[in-house]
Amino acid sequence: MTALSALAGGLCGILSGFGIGGGSLLMVWMTAVLHMEQATAQAINLLFFLPTAAASLVFHVRGKQVRWRATVPAALAGLVTAAGGAWAATVLEAGLLRKLFGGFLLLVGVSELLKKPAQGRSEPR
């Protein structure tokens, strides 16, 4: 299982480099395949996110893909609300967390399927 976990981590790392939520898929791997408790998988996901985000950010900044005027307010709001989310994750029942996370993934998936490219603009590289 260690080799499979390394493979899953590597694939999710590639997706994280693209900026499309590799950690979310890692959560699915840990909870559905490894049968890990949701709270444990969340903690591991946070540790996975730190180095993958740092490595990815370097290349995105170099490629001038970061719009700082949008990034700074979003990051500040994320810092404030992450504490509330972390607290909620420690007090909510694991079954409810799984359902909330599954619902979130479904909403994101459906919105991606229904999303149309903006007129007159090509998709970002």
Side-chain angles (χ1 to χ4, degrees):
M1 194 59 82
T2 302
L4 282 176
S5 292
L7 179 63
L11 292 172
C12 291
I14 291 169
L15 294 174
S16 292
F18 294 155
I20 57 172
S24 296
L25 294 176
L26 187 63
M27 287 283 299
V28 173
W29 166 264
M30 291 185 290
T31 56
V33 177
L34 300 180
H35 307 290
M36 221 177 258
E37 286 293 322
Q38 182 82 17
T40 302
Q42 287 170 196
I44 292 169
N45 184 46
L46 291 171
L47 289 172
F48 172 84
F49 175 77
L50 292 173
T52 58
S56 302
L57 184 59
V58 169
F59 290 96
H60 287 284
V61 168
R62 281 185 186 169
K64 296 183 173 40
Q65 297 297 316
V66 177
R67 295 185 181 169
W68 293 105
R69 290 183 70 174
T71 302
V72 171
L76 291 174
L79 282 171
V80 171
T81 56
W87 171 81
T90 62
V91 298
L92 294 176
E93 177 187 317
L96 177 59
L97 286 173
R98 282 179 183 252
K99 289 175 185 169
L100 291 171
F101 183 66
F104 170 74
L105 289 178
L106 284 172
L107 286 173
V108 170
V110 168
S111 71
E112 285 298 314
L113 287 173
L114 300 176
K115 186 190 227 180
K116 296 179 182 174
Q119 293 281 338
R121 289 183 15 188
S122 63
E123 288 289 322
R125 299 185 271 170

